[in-house]
Amino acid sequence: MTIFVDIAALDDIPRQGARVVKTGQGCVAVFRTADDRVFALEDRCPHKGGPLSEGIVHGDRVTCPLHNWVFDMNSGEAQGADTGMVRTYPIRVEHGRVLISAALVARSNAA
Amino acid sequence: MKKKLVVIGAGMASGRMLEQLLATDPDAFDVILFNGEPRGNYNRLMLSPVLSGEKTYEEIVTHDDDWYAANGVDCRFGEPVVKIDRETRIVHSNKSSAPYDALVIATGSAPFIIPVPGKDLPGVVAYRDLEDTQAMMDTAGKDAVVIGGGLLGLEAAAGMAARGAKVTVIHLMGHLMERQLDPAAGYLLQKDLEKRGIKVHCKGATKAILGNDRAEAVLLEDGTVYPADLVCMAVGIRPETRLANDAHLEVERGIVVDDAMRTSDPHVFALGECVEHRKQLFGLVAPLYDQAKVLARTLLGEVAEFVPVQTATKLKVTGCDLFSAGDFAEGEGREDIVFRDPGRGIYKRLVLRDDRIIGTVMYGETGDGSWFYGLMKDGTDISEMRETLIFGPAFQGGSKLDPMAAVAALPPEAEICGCNGVCKGTIVNAVQGGAHTLDAVRACTKASGSCGTCTGLVQQVMALTLGGAVADAPAGMCKCTDHTHEDVRRLIKAMGLKSIPAIQQELGWKSVGGCHSCRPALNYYLLAEWPLEYSDDRQSRFVNERNHANIQKDGTYSVVPRMWGGVTTPAELRAIADAADKYNVPMVKVTGGQRIDLLGVRKEDLPLMWADLNEAGLVSGHAYSKGLRTVKTCVGSEFCRFGTQDSTGLGIRLEKLLWGSWTPHKVKLGVSGCPRNCAEATCKDVGVVCVDSGYNISVAGAAGMEVKETEHLASTPSEDEAVEIIAAFVQLYREQAKYLDRPYKWVAKVGLDWVKAQVVEDVPNRRALVERFEISQSVYRRDPWAEHSTPSETPKWAPLANLTLEAAE
């Protein structure tokens, strides 16, 4: 079972926009769609490392700002002719708060 | 001896339960029914028709006195229960008591009242019972404000409007009924409501209700004030659990019940909006009726199990056809099928997962709603009929989606060709008069004969008139639409479209939220067309414009302060050097446009750095924008021995006039003081070469992917006139060009002669262009850095959370 931790209020993320969460596994982009769904994706395009958090969000897709690769935020899969995959992470909204998989919190005893 | 059943609450759920119970076994219980309201059970769903005057209270009563008498129910109406004593199994009201063998709590829900100042003033009501309805019925000719643009709020608003009230709906979210509708359907609904005189204010947060002895007005956070003789709060409901709480029954968000509707006390049952079943609350009537059936059987000792099913919503506002059911809100692998018929104001959307419907919204035409709903409830595999699914059960391969409905909906007087002022009716007449080819239409109407950007639109009007397709329609602006950029620009104007969802709905967009290609274009077209009304959509901008800096390949940014005409001061240079030191800028570079570029800045440092630069009087250089970039100058007559005019001064003047403006693509200017052309003005979008007799203005140069010398536009002895012509040229480009066409591409399409006619020869037209430019500049000639470096904005540039820090603790 996935354990979730509270990271922010939903309203801290602009609609059709994203914010970055720093984690032990690198930066994670947290997206909010026009209809208030949230997605968490690795903030790195597999093409040339573009920050997906700065892309344009349309429906449940995001376009990388560097070279316009498009990713389905549900699966993390590149769309169209491009092939590649971005990691996705469990995330959800409860009572206006955004909860993300606790697995992203680096364990202090792991060091 | 009969067992004693006490029921608290005479609402729709308990009413249905009693009906079932007494019909199955009238002799099982002696029933005592308490109700806080001084009346029995009526159909609360029908309060909206009562409010709007379509029904009377008498018509919505479901159980009248005779029914209660005939069924031997001991009614204690107007007697709110104050205590449940579970030890002795006695219920106490404010007047009497009653012992029970079985107790049913059906207290329903209470409206949520926003805790703002003034909420308790007389004249503030919820929309819950007949008293509230009565208060709203008395608003004819008065001002009413409804807070909450959900199902209930809109029914309240429509009802009062039907009674003759002046109604304003305040809604916190970006569009109405956001739980059921997406932005496009919300837009249609808003349009329908506005048609019936209801004002809608979205993104409105209520700050206070103003008034001395009673409500007089509503104040919003943004400072707007709406007068209100009556304020109706319809922002939501929550389960009424006070009695259950006091009796120490298990209560979470609602009174917790099991599948048999039993609470944590085996003698106590609950149903309706006050309960929570498997973590779920219930607000719609269908599951409540299911609960009623289950509870009736449970009370009679039978085994029954409540299983919640998907429910559908309809808006009970006459003339607004809306149907919504299921889930739009989560899950992987979801797909959308969207159908829009802008001409008839119809929107349908199906959400699919694994070839099954999981959600449906329909607006304007809801006849197929129950069919879709049936497919959804049954989990029918729709892969076989996927192609035609959206057309509903009646579809037999006949009528097809008409992509030209938007053009069909235009009135005859709508302007199609802006250059020659040709309206739709003229083209229709020409076609009916025998002009069946584009050339023929051009010959007799001049439509699309000048710049040609309206060709697609003319062809569509022809096709509609001829009843078939005309060949060679140009390609659409992206895969979301068949309309060309030029058509979209004209339709935005002709149809008065003022938001991205409005365009996507009215012009039949094929995607849910557009794409990275059309959204920035639409955002630009809207701000260029409606500078005073449209508010810029930041999320529809490319990263550079959203962050007011250029993104670099490693995700850092470059910062370029504006240096008017390339001139700076020692103090400004010091401020730039200090900022470079303070934020560890790895490279400082002079750009091709005579500005200083600070490269390699972290995103979270941007607003801090801007604040520092602002302090020294520097503003954004817009080195990132589809807008005015730089005006490059040479030193001119002030110092140069060849200089003929003050080219530096003219460059500064032009930059101060044009800065901050958004254009279809970047715009660069150059002003040279003599034909030696040290500012390289003849390969810019607009170049001025000063000569002894005045100013030579040339346009449409390029020095990028293509290299092209400018073409001569005008010569004038007057600096003022030069400035006016340049402003008019920029505005014409802003109004006419396709997004991402540089001026040289646009001029090649429309022809330099036409441009000359517009901005040089036709002086009144030139002045009108300048005036429209100034109107737009009254909004956009602002420093974006200052806006984003305020203490409230700065934190938004930093990470949302840092989970690596938590680990260190």
Side-chain angles (χ1 to χ4, degrees):
Chain A
M1 198 181 85
T2 310
I3 298 167
F4 287 87
V5 290
D6 183 316
I7 48 169
L10 180 62
D11 285 337
D12 291 334
I13 309 164
R15 279 215 177 84
Q16 295 191 296
R19 294 286 298 275
V20 169
V21 176
K22 287 191 170 175
T23 80
Q25 301 176 35
C27 285
V28 170
V30 176
F31 295 91
R32 178 182 180 188
T33 62
D35 54 0
D36 285 348
R37 286 177 292 150
V38 294
F39 294 96
L41 272 68
E42 182 184 3
D43 191 22
R44 219 186 120 74
C45 177
H47 175 219
K48 298 219 165 167
L52 296 178
S53 55
E54 296 295 350
I56 289 178
V57 176
H58 42 100
D60 43 16
R61 292 172 177 203
V62 61
T63 300
C64 175
L66 293 196
H67 305 98
N68 286 343
W69 280 37
V70 178
F71 296 90
D72 182 328
M73 296 194 286
N74 294 292
S75 62
E77 260 176 85
Q79 303 293 294
D82 300 320
T83 51
M85 186 83 156
V86 191
R87 280 197 68 172
T88 62
Y89 301 95
I91 188 164
R92 64 182 196 212
V93 177
E94 258 175 33
H95 309 300
R97 302 292 301 180
V98 180
L99 310 179
I100 201 164
S101 167
L104 284 165
V105 182
R107 266 157 279 148
S108 49
N109 58 9
Chain B
M1 200 177 94
K2 280 202 214 175
K3 285 198 276 185
K4 293 189 180 63
L5 173 67
V6 170
V7 179
I8 307 174
M12 296 178 69
S14 69
R16 176 60 65 96
M17 188 278 294
L18 285 177
E19 228 170 70
Q20 299 265 344
L21 183 72
L22 297 171
T24 314
D25 186 352
D27 300 319
F29 290 100
D30 279 325
V31 182
I32 300 175
L33 176 60
F34 286 95
N35 199 26
E37 277 188 67
R39 62 183 73 83
N41 190 13
Y42 57 92
N43 187 343
R44 208 183 290 277
L45 292 179
M46 288 293 142
L47 281 177
S48 290
V50 170
L51 173 57
S52 61
E54 288 160 53
K55 280 200 185 330
T56 63
Y57 169 67
E58 288 67 33
E59 288 175 272
I60 69 165
V61 169
T62 51
H63 301 84
D64 57 17
D65 293 346
D66 294 345
W67 186 88
Y68 292 119
N71 286 280
V73 177
D74 175 357
C75 297
R76 305 198 183 169
F77 294 158
E79 275 191 45
V81 170
V82 292
K83 186 170 187 255
I84 299 165
D85 189 337
R86 283 166 55 203
E87 300 261 303
T88 57
R89 289 194 210 148
I90 295 176
V91 166
H92 302 278
S93 83
N94 59 345
K95 289 193 195 123
S96 62
S97 308
Y100 65 82
D101 296 303
L103 171 65
V104 171
I105 305 177
T107 43
S109 60
F112 184 74
I113 298 294
I114 325 172
V116 291
K119 68 180 167 60
D120 298 321
L121 286 171
V124 180
V125 300
Y127 186 15
R128 195 60 201 154
D129 55 29
L130 200 61
E131 276 72 29
D132 298 334
T133 310
Q134 190 60 50
M136 289 196 279
M137 285 160 70
D138 296 336
T139 53
K142 296 183 189 164
D143 290 305
V145 168
V146 176
I147 300 174
L151 209 52
L152 201 61
L154 297 184
E155 290 181 11
M160 285 194 279
R163 291 273 175 183
K166 286 171 275 178
V167 185
T168 303
V169 175
I170 315 267
H171 191 49
L172 189 58
M173 310 306 277
H175 66 273
L176 296 172
M177 289 183 69
E178 78 288 343
R179 272 194 230 162
Q180 290 88 11
L181 304 183
D182 59 15
Y187 156 80
L188 278 182
L189 173 59
Q190 179 168 343
K191 232 176 56 166
D192 271 355
L193 293 171
E194 283 168 351
K195 259 189 230 158
R196 61 187 71 204
I198 297 169
K199 200 170 156 56
V200 178
H201 185 130
C202 286
K203 298 185 191 161
T206 305
K207 191 172 186 183
I209 294 163
L210 310 177
N212 293 324
D213 303 324
R214 56 173 292 121
E216 289 164 17
V218 174
L219 169 69
L220 304 190
E221 292 283 356
D222 66 10
T224 316
V225 175
Y226 290 106
D229 298 300
L230 184 90
V231 179
C232 173
M233 284 217 199
V235 291
I237 52 173
R238 55 178 167 204
E240 180 53 75
T241 57
R242 277 175 297 182
L243 282 174
N245 252 331
D246 293 349
H248 302 293
L249 291 167
E250 189 188 345
V251 174
E252 295 278 340
R253 284 187 298 159
I255 304 167
V256 177
V257 294
D258 63 13
D259 292 348
M261 309 311 296
R262 191 177 274 113
T263 69
S264 53
D265 176 337
H267 297 279
V268 181
F269 305 82
L271 86 166
E273 289 178 337
C274 61
V275 308
E276 177 177 324
H277 173 259
R278 296 191 200 171
K279 305 269 175 211
Q280 201 186 342
L281 302 177
F282 303 87
L284 299 172
V285 77
L288 304 196
Y289 281 172
D290 287 345
Q291 291 177 358
K293 267 187 236 169
V294 170
L295 180 52
R297 291 180 61 189
T298 303
L299 288 171
L300 292 171
E302 296 171 33
V303 177
E305 210 175 287
F306 172 60
V307 184
V309 292
Q310 299 262 32
T311 46
T313 303
K314 274 194 164 191
L315 182 66
K316 289 175 294 299
V317 172
T318 319
C320 291
D321 267 335
L322 180 149
F323 180 89
S324 164
D327 175 11
F328 321 99
E330 59 187 302
E332 285 193 13
R334 299 156 6 108
E335 294 167 281
D336 288 291
I337 298 178
V338 180
F339 170 94
R340 304 173 199 259
D341 185 342
R344 292 184 297 151
I346 291 171
Y347 172 89
K348 301 180 189 182
R349 176 178 171 210
L350 296 174
V351 185
L352 306 180
R353 187 175 56 205
D354 301 332
D355 288 326
R356 279 160 180 87
I357 301 176
I358 60 165
T360 170
V361 193
M362 316 179 72
Y363 195 90
E365 188 184 275
T366 54
D368 297 335
S370 50
W371 184 69
F372 289 127
Y373 180 48
L375 294 178
M376 182 172 92
K377 272 206 301 193
D378 301 342
T380 308
D381 185 331
I382 52 80
S383 49
E384 292 286 301
M385 50 185 156
R386 192 186 164 108
E387 296 283 301
T388 56
L389 183 66
I390 195 83
F391 302 111
F395 184 75
Q396 301 293 332
S399 65
K400 226 178 143 266
L401 168 63
D402 181 1
M404 294 192 297
V407 181
L410 287 177
E413 60 274 13
E415 187 180 80
I416 302 288
C417 171
C419 304
N420 296 297
V422 184
C423 63
K424 179 181 166 187
T426 310
I427 298 169
V428 171
N429 288 341
V431 176
Q432 285 165 348
H436 288 180
T437 66
L438 189 60
D439 282 344
V441 170
R442 270 189 195 141
C444 62
T445 67
K446 291 198 171 64
S448 92
S450 294
C451 77
T453 51
C454 61
T455 305
L457 203 52
V458 172
Q459 284 174 316
Q460 286 173 358
V461 174
M462 291 173 63
L464 283 166
T465 316
L466 290 167
V470 173
D472 296 336
M477 64 188 276
C478 66
K479 61 184 177 352
C480 305
T481 178
D482 294 331
H483 291 290
T484 63
H485 281 268
E486 291 80 7
D487 291 351
V488 169
R489 289 208 81 164
R490 288 186 197 294
L491 289 163
I492 286 171
K493 191 177 180 151
M495 300 172 76
L497 304 175
K498 296 190 178 167
S499 70
I500 291 177
I503 297 171
Q504 292 177 338
Q505 172 58 32
E506 294 286 6
L507 306 187
W509 241 242
K510 289 180 279 189
S511 60
V512 172
C515 69
H516 62 267
S517 165
C518 60
R519 283 240 310 276
L522 296 182
N523 185 52
Y524 169 72
Y525 294 153
L526 285 164
L527 75 80
E529 189 61 49
W530 319 108
L532 300 180
E533 291 162 82
Y534 179 68
S535 65
D536 188 41
D537 177 19
R538 210 162 157 243
Q539 301 305 334
S540 293
R541 284 189 176 276
F542 180 63
V543 55
N544 287 356
E545 294 188 339
R546 196 179 331 116
N547 290 344
H548 299 281
N550 278 320
I551 195 166
Q552 308 298 325
K553 65 183 218 177
D554 62 352
T556 63
Y557 293 85
S558 71
V559 171
V560 183
R562 196 168 277 287
M563 280 181 192
W564 309 96
V567 175
T568 184
T569 64
E572 287 180 351
L573 289 173
R574 266 184 216 107
I576 290 170
D578 286 346
D581 276 343
K582 184 169 170 186
Y583 300 100
N584 298 314
V585 168
M587 182 189 257
V588 181
K589 189 186 174 307
V590 174
T591 72
Q594 302 178 333
R595 307 292 183 263
I596 292 176
D597 195 352
L598 302 160
L599 291 137
V601 182
R602 299 188 312 157
K603 183 183 175 190
E604 56 259 53
D605 285 340
L606 288 174
L608 306 171
M609 193 159 164
W610 296 340
D612 289 358
L613 293 168
N614 271 170
E615 189 113 332
L618 291 155
V619 297
S620 169
H622 292 80
Y624 47 81
S625 73
K626 313 272 181 267
L628 179 83
R629 296 277 177 101
T630 56
V631 183
K632 191 173 179 179
T633 63
C634 70
V635 87
S637 58
E638 218 173 321
F639 288 92
C640 176
R641 66 194 163 112
F642 298 111
T644 60
Q645 313 281 352
D646 178 13
S647 54
T648 313
L650 175 55
I652 293 170
R653 184 174 167 191
L654 285 168
E655 190 163 348
K656 294 216 159 165
L657 175 75
L658 301 171
W659 82 290
S661 61
W662 300 101
T663 45
H665 208 308
K666 61 184 172 184
V667 172
K668 295 178 176 179
L669 273 67
V671 184
S672 286
C674 79
R676 286 168 190 78
N677 194 16
C678 293
E680 294 157 341
T682 50
C683 60
K684 296 287 186 279
D685 297 299
V686 179
V688 180
V689 176
C690 303
V691 290
D692 281 329
S693 58
Y695 305 85
N696 287 337
I697 304 164
S698 59
V699 295
M705 310 268 271
E706 245 180 274
V707 181
K708 186 179 163 295
E709 194 186 335
T710 51
E711 297 173 69
H712 182 259
L713 180 72
S715 292
T716 164
S718 144
E719 186 184 291
D720 287 346
E721 192 176 53
V723 168
E724 198 177 87
I725 288 170
I726 290 167
F729 173 80
V730 171
Q731 179 64 12
L732 191 65
Y733 167 60
R734 297 182 74 230
E735 290 179 2
Q736 299 285 334
K738 172 182 149 186
Y739 191 67
L740 298 187
D741 266 357
R742 289 286 293 268
Y744 77 95
K745 282 198 176 166
W746 165 67
V747 170
K749 278 184 197 163
V750 304
L752 188 65
D753 288 343
W754 180 75
V755 175
K756 270 186 195 161
Q758 298 287 310
V759 305
V760 184
E761 290 146 25
D762 185 345
V763 178
N765 189 56
R766 180 207 300 168
R767 300 249 154 92
L769 283 163
V770 174
E771 198 177 316
R772 292 202 290 278
F773 182 66
E774 271 304 328
I775 289 171
S776 171
Q777 283 295 76
S778 70
V779 178
Y780 289 105
R781 199 184 278 132
R782 302 241 165 96
D783 176 30
W785 286 1
E787 237 170 82
H788 290 284
S789 57
T790 59
S792 66
E793 286 297 302
T794 305
K796 297 182 188 166
W797 297 75
L800 182 62
N802 189 340
L803 301 182
T804 59
L805 288 183
E806 280 183 36
E809 280 164 15

